[in-house]
Every structure is written in C-alpha cells, then in structure tokens.
Amino acid sequence: MIMRILVDMDGVIADFEGGFLQRWRDQHPDKSYIPIADRRGFYIQAQYPEDYAPDVRAIFQAPGFFRDLPPIPGGLDALRELDALDHEVFICSSPLAHYHNCVLEKYLWVDDQLGPAWIERVVLTRDKTLIHADILIDDRLQIVGREAPTWEHIVYDQPYNRADTGDLKRRLTWETWRAVLLGE
Ligand SMILES: [Mg+2]
C-alpha cells in the first residue's frame, strides 16, 4: 500500500539539538549546558536557567543555524528509500515564529542535503493537522491544531520526548524505521 508520509525536520532529519549544543558550548564556554542524553521536554530554553533564555534563543535565531544543522544519521537515506518504494514523502516542518532566517534556510538545507527535486516536497506550516497524510513522523509529543489529524503520529524517539509515560504512540528511529513502517 502506498503511504503518504510527512517527515518533520528538526529532531527527525536535522539535528537541532546537536547543532544547538555545539554552538552553545562554542559561544558560551563559561556557562553550564545540558548533555543531549539529559534533555527533558521539547523546548531547550525551558530546561536551561531562566536567565539564559535570551542567549539560548539567539543561538537558533542566528543566520546560518538552520542551514548548517547536521543531518541525523540514516534519515536522508530512509527518505530516499521510501521515495524509491513509491511512497509519497513530504518534509513537513513548522518554522520558528521568528522566521527571518529559519524559513529560507530550511529550503537551503533540503536543497543542500537532498537536492532540488526535494524542494517540491517541502511543506512549511505552523498547523500540521491541516495536511492530509497517512503518517506523520515527528519528535514533538503533542501536535495539535485546527483539525482532527488524518495521519497517525509516529514519534521520532529522542531523549527529550521519553518522559511522558502515558503516551501510547508508536515510535521509531532511523535504525528501526523499516520494522515500524514497512513491517520488515
Ligand atoms: Mg521536530
């Protein structure tokens, strides 16, 4: 069965947490940091000391942050493989409300990492429930919007989304995706 699959960017194919932590440690070597394995909760600035919040936001609002994010290993190959199996793969990302660099750089990142054909597959929206699909792969646990989603949300497993023990959604990583999505 052909599936339409929405794949989130940050925390799924683009290593937002790794990119943040590297820049944070480079730019603020005097300040404390949270190793990725110890991250809890979706928003980085909510776990860092409150008075760090402006500096935290400045990291991911800066020019070059999104464009330079390293790919999460295995993600781009999985997208190409799903595409080769004729599944309809779309990259579905919610840009920052502070959109100035983020929106352009998300397109640049897809072009750099996957090539111009994948620009056709980019969907940027602040409300993913408006997009019709069979599956949404996303690292954020709570995805709400104006509509009842048509997709099944499969959580991309990350240290910061594991705390919610009441969550019954299926999970995958780019090591387990074939078993979860294709039943292989
Ligand atoms: Mg994400």
Side-chain angles (χ1 to χ4, degrees):
M1 185 191 74
I2 301 296
M3 295 180 284
R4 183 179 301 155
I5 302 169
L6 309 177
V7 182
D8 177 36
M9 287 181 81
D10 299 321
V12 178
I13 56 172
D15 188 6
F16 185 98
E17 291 275 338
F20 169 81
L21 189 57
Q22 186 185 342
R23 284 175 179 240
W24 179 261
R25 294 186 66 183
D26 288 348
Q27 294 177 30
H28 302 283
D30 52 319
K31 293 194 173 85
S32 63
Y33 67 92
I34 299 166
I36 289 170
D38 297 334
R39 279 272 299 110
R40 297 292 179 270
F42 189 72
Y43 292 108
I44 292 174
Q45 62 268 40
Q47 196 180 0
Y48 276 68
E50 209 174 328
D51 56 325
Y52 285 8
D55 289 335
V56 169
R57 283 194 294 268
I59 297 280
F60 48 73
Q61 291 176 358
F65 176 78
F66 283 95
R67 184 173 190 174
D68 293 343
L69 288 180
I72 290 182
L76 302 178
D77 286 340
L79 264 57
R80 292 187 194 100
E81 196 171 327
L82 286 165
D83 179 61
L85 292 169
D86 288 333
H87 295 295
E88 292 180 22
V89 183
F90 288 87
I91 295 165
C92 186
S93 178
S94 297
L96 297 182
H98 183 98
Y99 56 82
H100 301 76
N101 302 306
C102 173
V103 168
L104 173 63
E105 291 187 19
K106 281 179 177 290
Y107 280 95
L108 291 167
W109 192 92
V110 170
D111 201 352
D112 290 343
Q113 301 291 344
L114 286 160
W118 285 81
I119 295 294
E120 304 291 330
R121 311 298 192 85
V122 175
V123 179
L124 298 187
T125 175
R126 296 278 289 175
D127 186 345
K128 297 184 184 182
T129 70
L130 300 178
I131 314 302
H132 286 254
D134 299 298
I135 287 168
L136 167 68
I137 300 169
D138 203 299
D139 62 317
R140 185 173 187 165
L141 281 182
Q142 305 297 337
I143 300 175
V144 294
R146 299 292 175 97
E147 297 288 339
T150 55
W151 31 256
E152 176 194 358
H153 175 199
I154 298 180
V155 176
Y156 189 86
D157 189 55
Q158 290 279 9
Y160 50 83
N161 65 28
R162 280 177 205 151
D164 192 340
T165 51
D167 180 70
L168 298 174
K169 296 183 184 85
R170 294 200 286 166
R171 284 175 177 257
L172 62 68
T173 66
W174 298 126
E175 284 168 8
T176 65
W177 69 273
R178 281 190 197 80
V180 176
L181 289 182
L182 307 178
E184 287 175 6

